[in-house]
Amino acid sequence: MSVTAFAPQTEARFALARKVADAVLFEGCPLHPYRTSAPRTRLRRQCGVLVPPAWGAGSEEYDFQHTECLMEPGPGATLAVELRFLRARRRTVQRAFPDGEFETVPELRLGERLLVSCDEGTEERVDAVVTVDELTDGDGVIVAFGRRAGEEHEQILDEDGRVVGRTVRRGEEIRGLLRLSAHRLEGPCPVLRLTAVVENTSVWAPEAGESADRGAALPHSLVSTHLLMGLSAGSFLSMSDPPEWARAAIASCRNLHTWPVLSGEPGRADVMLSSPVILEDHPRIDAQDGAPADTPWRDPAGEPGGEPEGGRIVVNGRPVGPGSRVRLDPGLRRTDAQDVFLRGRPATVEAVRHDVDGSVHLAVTVDDDPGADVRRERGTFHYFRPDEVTPLEDHV
């Protein structure tokens, strides 16, 4: 196995797929409003979260992704795999004292700037290049990866250059495994079933007697986890539109918490993107603003005028608008698995928003979310359709 820099040809073929993954997984899901002003490295919302095993065992979340797809490799083909995810880092704000000491504070105002504590995400990659023979030999190839815990400090200066505080960014230890294997299928065509499994093997667990919430597990998690896979020779088969002779084999593939689609240059089938958000083959990026193409969303609050359209709507015979409390009941049609875990949770409606195809969506914050105030400040909400909530109040 070789774990070196990708060849220039591989980098070129992955370039378009990375743009799609950046827009969909690092900026936001195409089923949610897309705001181009949001910094890419800020953790706006989370999908593809692989939690530590000790946390997942006691919750409804998972610590792995399992991808299966079919490929027809050419002679001497190699498989390049790039695992990408965000690593959450806690940013805390501290105020400086004359004696040189620092104190952690909820926020620090510097003129018109307001610095607050929050979670940020840094992009991480794990690369591997393997031959088809290595994939089909025994249990295949296992790539172990890890990131050490660490802390960074950055001074905050006022207009006169004096130190008035600092930000502290803390990253926790993360460990994981990438398992790659392939098995030849019987039939007239030389087809292989490729299996790629990503596991979070971090040893973190809440201390005895400690009641840790999901936020405590997030710094030890892999966020927006996805895979790019490219063949040097040969092609992958579409999972949604395979040839007739391959339909049964495609149907037998197991994909858990992720879904592989053809990606890269249209008309080619040598790159797969395995994403926790369900996409069509060859998803495209809008050249004008970087959003996923054909996405009918806009964010009225982020446009000139700044006010969402439609102050209130009627849900189950009750008026619902900003300030209303609702119970969340996400439908099975949703592609974001994380929203399913909010089922039954009480939430507060922050805005009623309309997309360009006339659909109505409710922007909400979850009532027990400790980061709700930060979400309101940044406009980074959860979004649900009216038929996915139940009003808890008779008035707004």
Side-chain angles (χ1 to χ4, degrees):
M1 179 186 67
S2 171
V3 189
T4 58
F6 291 146
Q9 303 93 317
T10 302
E11 284 288 340
R13 289 186 294 127
F14 276 4
L16 182 55
R18 288 195 188 108
K19 290 181 180 179
V20 172
D22 289 349
V24 174
L25 299 171
F26 290 167
E27 291 284 4
C29 171
L31 296 184
H32 290 250
Y34 180 87
R35 178 176 293 179
T36 57
S37 61
R40 173 181 158 195
T41 55
R42 184 178 293 167
L43 284 179
R44 297 182 55 215
R45 49 181 302 283
Q46 300 137 16
C47 59
V49 178
L50 306 186
V51 300
W55 172 258
S59 70
E60 296 180 341
E61 302 196 62
Y62 42 84
D63 56 29
F64 74 97
Q65 288 179 346
H66 182 110
T67 299
E68 287 187 353
C69 59
L70 301 188
M71 63 180 184
E72 296 179 285
T78 59
L79 178 75
V81 180
E82 182 174 88
L83 164 63
R84 303 171 80 220
F85 61 92
L86 291 180
R87 180 187 182 191
R89 296 197 304 175
R90 289 279 159 82
R91 186 188 77 176
T92 56
V93 180
Q94 296 183 338
R95 179 173 56 199
F97 288 95
D99 59 1
E101 296 295 320
F102 293 86
E103 177 190 35
T104 299
V105 293
E107 62 183 41
L108 183 65
R109 184 171 292 279
L110 189 62
E112 295 183 357
R113 292 177 60 199
L114 179 64
L115 302 175
V116 298
S117 299
C118 65
D119 286 340
E120 296 178 335
T122 57
E123 180 186 335
E124 300 285 352
R125 297 185 182 183
V126 179
D127 297 340
V129 180
V130 299
T131 66
V132 172
D133 288 341
E134 288 175 306
L135 291 172
T136 57
D137 182 19
D139 294 330
V141 175
I142 299 177
V143 180
F145 61 91
R147 301 293 184 269
R148 296 181 178 178
E151 193 170 276
E152 298 177 1
H153 297 171
E154 182 180 356
Q155 290 183 337
I156 301 172
L157 307 179
D158 64 13
E159 295 180 352
D160 298 323
R162 294 174 299 187
V163 177
V164 295
R166 68 180 182 183
T167 57
V168 180
R169 291 176 170 86
R170 172 74 183 178
E172 302 297 340
E173 182 183 43
I174 291 178
R175 298 181 188 177
L177 293 176
L178 171 61
R179 302 179 185 270
L180 303 169
S181 62
H183 297 86
R184 299 188 184 278
L185 302 183
E186 295 183 1
C189 299
V191 178
L192 298 180
R193 176 184 288 118
L194 172 65
T195 300
V197 180
V198 182
E199 301 177 30
N200 185 342
T201 60
S202 302
V203 296
W204 175 86
E207 296 182 5
E210 178 184 1
S211 178
D213 59 12
R214 186 175 186 268
L218 192 63
H220 306 269
S221 303
L222 283 61
V223 181
S224 292
T225 311
H226 59 284
L227 288 171
L228 295 178
M229 301 179 289
L231 283 169
S232 63
S235 60
F236 295 97
L237 300 186
S238 170
M239 300 293 292
S240 59
D241 187 24
E244 188 63 34
W245 59 265
R247 290 189 179 277
I250 287 287
S252 68
C253 290
R254 295 173 60 245
N255 285 285
L256 304 175
H257 321 310
T258 189
W259 181 252
V261 296
L262 297 177
S263 192
E265 184 180 342
R268 301 188 60 161
D270 52 4
V271 174
M272 270 280 187
L273 165 62
S274 187
S275 161
V277 176
I278 296 178
L279 302 169
E280 298 293 335
D281 283 338
H282 296 292
R284 298 179 295 113
I285 297 298
D286 188 295
Q288 182 175 0
D289 62 9
D294 303 322
T295 301
W297 283 93
R298 61 189 172 91
D299 189 351
E303 297 176 350
E307 292 297 325
E309 296 180 353
R312 65 180 64 187
I313 60 173
V314 176
V315 179
N316 293 342
R318 299 181 181 182
V320 171
S324 298
R325 296 185 67 251
V326 296
R327 184 178 69 247
L328 303 178
D329 186 27
L332 295 179
R333 62 164 186 84
R334 298 193 63 84
T335 59
D336 183 3
Q338 298 304 312
D339 285 343
V340 176
F341 303 133
L342 299 179
R343 188 184 304 278
R345 303 272 288 277
T348 299
V349 175
E350 304 293 340
V352 178
R353 294 184 176 168
H354 301 247
D355 62 26
V356 296
D357 69 359
S359 299
V360 179
H361 305 265
L362 300 175
V364 307
T365 52
V366 180
D367 283 0
D368 59 354
D369 180 1
D373 289 339
V374 175
R375 286 183 177 274
R376 291 188 185 98
E377 176 191 348
R378 295 177 176 171
T380 56
F381 306 118
H382 298 279
Y383 290 85
F384 296 88
R385 291 189 175 181
D387 62 357
E388 294 180 309
V389 305
T390 301
L392 296 179
E393 298 176 338
D394 293 323
H395 61 279
V396 292

